[in-house]
């Protein structure tokens, strides 16, 4: 373990009781902290950022009970302007929705796919991919997310690619993993329609 990582681990250790309380038994605090250390080791800019913002981001991960290893796609620690921010991945948003009785189906629509979107009082999406490869299906023209629950009507969110790209912040994650960001955007938009008292963690992440 490098010296900088060891210093970070020593700095996090006094916060273990607070992290453990926030996790509320969802996962061992050692596992969550290990994902923080892995993120810092993979991205040294995290170590150079304001340390208090890193601690705050780690606490946010504990409150949401999402690992930040950058591998599972649940959540990420992102250094930006000398600060560390906690960013929920699209898989993390799906996890949070599932905790509140909602299952989420989402996909990217490409130009040769069969696709129809009906809005109004009974929103509905029909989507049949045409082909098995990106080349066969063509360029992305949009993405959608469907939130389903036994207790609520479906929430359907469709966004054309132009509107999705307007949300781009120019950060590295939009450049390094653009498809994940395209998938995430309609989930974020649709999550705002989920009742807040049913899914407080989902709204916190959004």
């Amino acid at each position: 373990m490098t010296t900088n990582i060891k210093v970070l681990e020593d700095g996090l250790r006094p916060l273990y009781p607070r992290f453990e309380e926030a996790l509320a038994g969802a996962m061992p605090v050692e596992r969550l902290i290990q994902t923080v250390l892995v993120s810092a080791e993979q991205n040294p800019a995290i170590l150079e950022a304001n340390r208090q913002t890193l601690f705050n981001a780690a606490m946010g991960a504990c409150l949401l009970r999402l690992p930040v290893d950058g591998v599972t796609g649940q959540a990420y620690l992102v250094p930006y302007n000398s600060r560390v921010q906690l960013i929920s991945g699209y898989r993390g948003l799906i996890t949070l929705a599932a905790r509140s009785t909602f299952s989420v189906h989402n996909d990217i629509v490409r130009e040769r796919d069969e696709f129809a979107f009906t809005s109004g009082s009974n929103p509905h999406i029909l989507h049949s991919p045409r082909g098995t490869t990106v080349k066969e299906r063509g360029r992305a023209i949009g993405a959608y997310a469907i939130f389903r629950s036994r207790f609520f009507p479906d929430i359907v969110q469709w966004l054309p690619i132009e509107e999705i790209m307007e949300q781009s912040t120019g950060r590295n994650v939009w450049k390094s993993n653009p498809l994940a960001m395209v998938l995430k955007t309609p989930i974020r938009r649709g999550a705002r329609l989920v009742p807040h008292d049913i899914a407080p963690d989902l709204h916190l992440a959004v």
Side-chain angles (χ1 to χ4, degrees), residues 47-100:
L47 294 169
E48 298 169 4
N50 179 279
R51 190 53 52 91
Q52 186 59 51
T53 65
L54 173 54
F55 293 162
N56 292 344
M59 175 59 76
C62 290
L63 290 170
L64 293 176
R65 292 166 288 161
L66 293 178
V68 290
D69 53 13
V71 176
T72 60
Q74 298 288 309
Y76 304 86
L77 295 177
V78 179
Y80 187 70
N81 286 342
S82 300
R83 299 173 63 86
V84 178
Q85 296 178 328
L86 173 67
I87 304 295
S88 301
Y90 80 91
R91 291 190 179 93
L93 295 179
I94 291 174
T95 296
L96 296 175
R99 291 179 191 164
S100 56

Side-chain angles (χ1 to χ4, degrees), residues 7 17 22 32 41 44 56 65 68 70 77 80 96 99-100 131-132 144 161 169 198-199 203:
V7 170
L32 190 286
E41 194 169 29
N56 292 344
R65 292 166 288 161
V68 290
L77 295 177
Y80 187 70
L96 296 175
R99 291 179 191 164
S100 56
T132 57
Y144 63 89
I161 194 67
T169 60
I198 300 298
H203 281 270

Side-chain angles (χ1 to χ4, degrees), residues 162-171 174-175 181 185:
E162 294 80 9
E163 189 170 347
I164 291 173
M165 297 314 297
E166 288 177 359
Q167 308 303 311
S168 172
T169 60
R171 295 180 184 178
W174 277 91
K175 300 173 183 177
M181 298 307 293
T185 303

Side-chain angles (χ1 to χ4, degrees), residues 50-165:
N50 179 279
R51 190 53 52 91
Q52 186 59 51
T53 65
L54 173 54
F55 293 162
N56 292 344
M59 175 59 76
C62 290
L63 290 170
L64 293 176
R65 292 166 288 161
L66 293 178
V68 290
D69 53 13
V71 176
T72 60
Q74 298 288 309
Y76 304 86
L77 295 177
V78 179
Y80 187 70
N81 286 342
S82 300
R83 299 173 63 86
V84 178
Q85 296 178 328
L86 173 67
I87 304 295
S88 301
Y90 80 91
R91 291 190 179 93
L93 295 179
I94 291 174
T95 296
L96 296 175
R99 291 179 191 164
S100 56
T101 77
F102 282 89
S103 63
V104 180
H105 172 72
N106 69 320
D107 204 351
I108 293 175
V109 180
R110 298 186 176 275
E111 59 184 341
R112 298 190 185 95
D113 292 350
E114 180 183 353
F115 177 76
F117 170 52
T118 302
S119 187
S121 60
N122 187 27
H124 180 71
I125 282 180
L126 172 66
H127 179 211
S128 297
R130 296 298 188 186
T132 57
T133 66
V134 170
K135 184 176 181 180
E136 291 173 337
R137 295 175 58 195
R139 67 178 183 88
I141 62 171
Y144 63 89
I146 303 173
F147 293 74
R148 289 197 171 99
S149 171
R150 292 177 297 168
F151 310 106
F152 299 93
D154 288 356
I155 295 172
V156 178
Q157 182 66 65
W158 152 255
L159 292 174
I161 194 67
E162 294 80 9
E163 189 170 347
I164 291 173
M165 297 314 297

